[in-house]
PDB file of all heavy atoms in Angstrom:
ATOM      1  N   ALA A1436      60.162 168.047  95.613  1.00  0.00           N
ATOM      2  CA  ALA A1436      61.588 167.621  95.856  1.00  0.00           C
ATOM      3  C   ALA A1436      62.079 168.047  97.193  1.00  0.00           C
ATOM      4  O   ALA A1436      62.740 167.292  97.866  1.00  0.00           O
ATOM      5  CB  ALA A1436      62.470 168.243  94.755  1.00  0.00           C
ATOM      6  N   ALA A1437      61.674 169.255  97.603  1.00  0.00           N
ATOM      7  CA  ALA A1437      62.188 169.761  98.915  1.00  0.00           C
ATOM      8  C   ALA A1437      61.499 168.927 100.029  1.00  0.00           C
ATOM      9  O   ALA A1437      62.168 168.553 101.026  1.00  0.00           O
ATOM     10  CB  ALA A1437      61.822 171.212  99.058  1.00  0.00           C
ATOM     11  N   TYR A1438      60.193 168.674  99.841  1.00  0.00           N
ATOM     12  CA  TYR A1438      59.544 167.877 100.935  1.00  0.00           C
ATOM     13  C   TYR A1438      60.158 166.500 100.990  1.00  0.00           C
ATOM     14  O   TYR A1438      60.321 165.933 102.108  1.00  0.00           O
ATOM     15  CB  TYR A1438      58.064 167.757 100.582  1.00  0.00           C
ATOM     16  CG  TYR A1438      57.264 166.972 101.640  1.00  0.00           C
ATOM     17  CD1 TYR A1438      56.705 167.615 102.701  1.00  0.00           C
ATOM     18  CD2 TYR A1438      57.045 165.636 101.573  1.00  0.00           C
ATOM     19  CE1 TYR A1438      56.067 166.929 103.717  1.00  0.00           C
ATOM     20  CE2 TYR A1438      56.419 164.942 102.536  1.00  0.00           C
ATOM     21  CZ  TYR A1438      55.865 165.624 103.642  1.00  0.00           C
ATOM     22  OH  TYR A1438      55.210 164.915 104.617  1.00  0.00           O
ATOM     23  N   PHE A1439      60.491 165.747  99.834  1.00  0.00           N
ATOM     24  CA  PHE A1439      61.068 164.541  99.818  1.00  0.00           C
ATOM     25  C   PHE A1439      62.431 164.600 100.610  1.00  0.00           C
ATOM     26  O   PHE A1439      62.683 163.813 101.407  1.00  0.00           O
ATOM     27  CB  PHE A1439      61.257 164.036  98.376  1.00  0.00           C
ATOM     28  CG  PHE A1439      61.869 162.685  98.377  1.00  0.00           C
ATOM     29  CD1 PHE A1439      61.083 161.579  98.597  1.00  0.00           C
ATOM     30  CD2 PHE A1439      63.231 162.524  98.133  1.00  0.00           C
ATOM     31  CE1 PHE A1439      61.648 160.255  98.554  1.00  0.00           C
ATOM     32  CE2 PHE A1439      63.764 161.239  97.992  1.00  0.00           C
ATOM     33  CZ  PHE A1439      63.018 160.147  98.269  1.00  0.00           C
ATOM     34  N   ALA A1440      63.258 165.602 100.288  1.00  0.00           N
ATOM     35  CA  ALA A1440      64.555 165.640 100.900  1.00  0.00           C
ATOM     36  C   ALA A1440      64.474 165.894 102.392  1.00  0.00           C
ATOM     37  O   ALA A1440      65.154 165.203 103.177  1.00  0.00           O
ATOM     38  CB  ALA A1440      65.366 166.779 100.308  1.00  0.00           C
ATOM     39  N   VAL A1441      63.610 166.842 102.840  1.00  0.00           N
ATOM     40  CA  VAL A1441      63.481 167.113 104.271  1.00  0.00           C
ATOM     41  C   VAL A1441      62.911 165.846 105.012  1.00  0.00           C
ATOM     42  O   VAL A1441      63.400 165.537 106.043  1.00  0.00           O
ATOM     43  CB  VAL A1441      62.658 168.378 104.453  1.00  0.00           C
ATOM     44  CG1 VAL A1441      62.260 168.490 105.909  1.00  0.00           C
ATOM     45  CG2 VAL A1441      63.384 169.604 103.997  1.00  0.00           C
ATOM     46  N   SER A1442      61.971 165.348 104.403  1.00  0.00           N
ATOM     47  CA  SER A1442      61.302 164.141 105.009  1.00  0.00           C
ATOM     48  C   SER A1442      62.260 162.942 105.093  1.00  0.00           C
ATOM     49  O   SER A1442      62.364 162.280 106.170  1.00  0.00           O
ATOM     50  CB  SER A1442      60.068 163.707 104.201  1.00  0.00           C
ATOM     51  OG  SER A1442      59.372 162.759 104.853  1.00  0.00           O
ATOM     52  N   LEU A1443      63.118 162.788 104.099  1.00  0.00           N
ATOM     53  CA  LEU A1443      64.087 161.772 104.079  1.00  0.00           C
ATOM     54  C   LEU A1443      65.135 161.981 105.242  1.00  0.00           C
ATOM     55  O   LEU A1443      65.497 161.075 105.982  1.00  0.00           O
ATOM     56  CB  LEU A1443      64.789 161.670 102.830  1.00  0.00           C
ATOM     57  CG  LEU A1443      65.754 160.446 102.573  1.00  0.00           C
ATOM     58  CD1 LEU A1443      65.024 159.155 102.715  1.00  0.00           C
ATOM     59  CD2 LEU A1443      66.361 160.588 101.238  1.00  0.00           C
ATOM     60  N   LEU A1444      65.463 163.271 105.381  1.00  0.00           N
ATOM     61  CA  LEU A1444      66.476 163.633 106.421  1.00  0.00           C
ATOM     62  C   LEU A1444      65.843 163.436 107.798  1.00  0.00           C
ATOM     63  O   LEU A1444      66.595 162.841 108.712  1.00  0.00           O
ATOM     64  CB  LEU A1444      66.829 165.104 106.312  1.00  0.00           C
ATOM     65  CG  LEU A1444      67.877 165.625 107.237  1.00  0.00           C
ATOM     66  CD1 LEU A1444      69.213 165.018 107.047  1.00  0.00           C
ATOM     67  CD2 LEU A1444      67.979 167.113 107.114  1.00  0.00           C
ATOM     68  N   LEU A1445      64.593 163.707 107.979  1.00  0.00           N
ATOM     69  CA  LEU A1445      63.939 163.403 109.277  1.00  0.00           C
ATOM     70  C   LEU A1445      63.820 162.001 109.604  1.00  0.00           C
ATOM     71  O   LEU A1445      63.990 161.463 110.759  1.00  0.00           O
ATOM     72  CB  LEU A1445      62.533 164.096 109.346  1.00  0.00           C
ATOM     73  CG  LEU A1445      62.634 165.653 109.445  1.00  0.00           C
ATOM     74  CD1 LEU A1445      61.134 166.178 109.284  1.00  0.00           C
ATOM     75  CD2 LEU A1445      63.150 166.057 110.640  1.00  0.00           C
ATOM     76  N   HIS A1446      63.603 161.169 108.579  1.00  0.00           N
ATOM     77  CA  HIS A1446      63.506 159.705 108.756  1.00  0.00           C
ATOM     78  C   HIS A1446      64.882 159.082 109.074  1.00  0.00           C
ATOM     79  O   HIS A1446      64.913 158.204 109.784  1.00  0.00           O
ATOM     80  CB  HIS A1446      62.910 159.024 107.445  1.00  0.00           C
ATOM     81  CG  HIS A1446      61.324 159.338 107.360  1.00  0.00           C
ATOM     82  ND1 HIS A1446      60.940 160.582 107.118  1.00  0.00           N
ATOM     83  CD2 HIS A1446      60.356 158.580 107.558  1.00  0.00           C
ATOM     84  CE1 HIS A1446      59.516 160.596 107.013  1.00  0.00           C
ATOM     85  NE2 HIS A1446      59.185 159.296 107.416  1.00  0.00           N
TER      86      HIS A1446
END
Side-chain angles (χ1 to χ4, degrees):
Y1438 183 87
F1439 181 80
V1441 169
S1442 187
L1443 188 62
L1444 184 65
L1445 290 173
H1446 287 71

